[in-house]
Amino acid sequence: MRLQRALASVAALLAFAVVVLGAYVRLSDAGLGCPDWPGCYGKLTPARAAPDIARTIAAQGGEHGPVSHAKAWKEMGHRYVAGTLGLLILAMAVLAWLRRESRLLATATLAVVAVQATLGMWTVTLLLKPAIVTAHLLGGMTTLALLVWLALAQRQYRPAPQLRALRVPAALAMGAIVAQLALGGWVSANYAALACPDLPLCLGQALPPMDFANAFHLRRELGMTSDGALLSLEALTAIHWTHRVFALVAVAAAGWAAWRARRVSESRALAVLLASALALQFSLGIANVLAGLPLWLAAAHNAGAALLLACLVVLNFFSFRQLRPQRA
């Protein structure tokens, strides 16, 4: 049990790092730093692929294109960490089956990681197609959520039946945050973060001109409509505006869950943590617009989303799980 507990905790922390690194790679335009998968021009490291990278840089007219030595290392660095996480989750699944403990959850996590690896490959081979990039982000968040749940399931805890009263607010908050994560991923995948550069309005209007039909069409290429035309500013505005407006819904749902948790003595500390993560994430969203989306702040916004999700996973775990003490 102790080994499984340690592995699950380390894996959850590593999954958090993978999510943040993935956001950093995407936001620094390094998603195609190595245009093949899983290696870099068929090599294990960008150092061995240096001649191929140099030829691509020359062909694209300099290092300002999608490929550069720095971008290749960023992309491969993310793959190395993600690969390490995958091996760790595989070891956890094997151990779970050998010890006959948490087998279903460990196997489900391994299956999600397998799908996530496929999405990672498609992200590169399909040239950052928005639907795939967004699904890849959600896959990373799902992996994090499952690992946090698995880490909690390996620990002893005292029964607290009164926490069951938090099931409805916890579930609603989780649903709202997951929807907001998907919208945020869609904003990032379409590079629409600065489509509304002002606050609290968007382009000086509460309802600016927007093209929802093309904004949320899933089967299209990056920056293009489904007909192959360039994606309009109105479509990008619709993407950003929707994410911004739904943020109010997500804040209300998560805030209600924190308020309800604050009223139960056993969950007061978690309520404070949830409220703090929510306030931090909302502030980071505002700061990104006001500051013009600096790289470090945009990456912090993704980290804040992962932290907020983890808090809600913990709240849902103790609200829904049959709270029985486990053996050491």
Side-chain angles (χ1 to χ4, degrees):
M1 177 64 74
R2 290 181 179 179
L3 178 58
Q4 288 175 296
R5 184 186 312 162
L7 288 176
S9 298
V10 171
L13 292 173
L14 195 57
F16 181 87
V18 170
V19 168
V20 177
L21 280 173
Y24 174 75
V25 169
R26 183 176 65 257
L27 292 165
S28 58
D29 296 324
L32 295 178
C34 290
D36 54 336
W37 190 94
C40 191
Y41 290 91
K43 308 298 193 301
L44 185 61
T45 69
R48 294 187 175 183
D52 302 280
I53 295 173
R55 283 192 291 270
T56 303
I57 292 173
Q60 70 187 13
E63 295 202 355
H64 297 293
V67 175
S68 71
H69 294 283
K71 290 178 180 178
W73 278 109
K74 290 177 184 178
E75 172 69 4
M76 289 303 297
H78 176 244
R79 294 182 191 178
Y80 296 149
V81 178
T84 301
L85 176 61
L87 292 175
L88 183 57
I89 291 173
L90 175 61
M92 290 169 54
V94 172
L95 188 61
W97 278 94
L98 290 176
R99 297 191 174 186
R100 297 182 179 181
E101 296 174 345
S102 302
R103 289 182 293 181
L104 180 60
L105 188 56
T107 303
T109 306
L110 182 61
V112 169
V113 168
V115 173
Q116 181 69 348
T118 303
L119 289 171
M121 177 185 67
W122 287 347
T123 296
V124 175
T125 58
L126 296 180
L127 302 178
L128 305 181
K129 196 168 185 175
I132 301 299
V133 173
T134 303
H136 191 47
L137 169 67
L138 291 176
M141 292 293 188
T142 301
T143 302
L144 173 62
L146 288 172
L147 287 170
V148 170
W149 192 287
L150 187 58
L152 291 170
Q154 305 303 319
R155 298 181 178 274
Q156 289 182 302
Y157 49 88
R158 294 180 180 179
Q162 56 270 38
L163 290 176
R164 295 175 186 174
L166 301 177
R167 288 179 175 182
V168 172
L172 288 177
M174 177 66 82
I177 292 301
V178 169
Q180 182 66 353
L181 283 172
L183 289 171
W186 194 246
V187 169
S188 181
N190 286 279
Y191 295 90
L194 294 178
C196 294
D198 51 331
L199 280 169
L201 301 177
C202 177
L203 300 174
Q205 302 176 63
L207 290 172
M210 290 181 281
D211 177 10
F212 285 96
N214 286 307
F216 293 98
H217 197 291
L218 298 181
R219 298 182 62 183
R220 59 175 176 79
E221 304 299 324
L222 175 62
M224 310 293 289
T225 68
S226 58
D227 297 327
L230 290 176
L231 198 64
S232 66
L233 175 60
E234 288 76 13
L236 296 176
T237 301
I239 294 171
H240 183 110
W241 184 89
T242 303
H243 177 58
R244 184 184 292 190
V245 170
F246 195 81
L248 302 178
V249 178
V251 166
W256 180 49
W259 178 72
R260 286 289 304 274
R262 182 70 178 82
R263 299 174 64 185
V264 180
S265 60
E266 288 80 4
S267 59
R268 283 176 183 167
L270 179 57
V272 173
L273 180 59
L274 174 58
S276 299
L278 180 62
L280 174 64
Q281 180 65 353
F282 189 74
S283 300
L284 287 171
I286 293 174
N288 269 290
V289 175
L290 296 179
L293 201 70
L295 178 58
W296 70 271
L297 198 55
H301 192 47
N302 280 264
L307 176 61
L308 182 57
L309 176 66
C311 290
L312 284 170
V313 169
V314 176
L315 182 60
N316 276 273
F317 175 87
F318 287 112
S319 299
F320 281 92
R321 189 173 171 84
Q322 292 296 321
L323 300 178
R324 298 173 183 171
Q326 296 182 0
R327 293 176 299 174

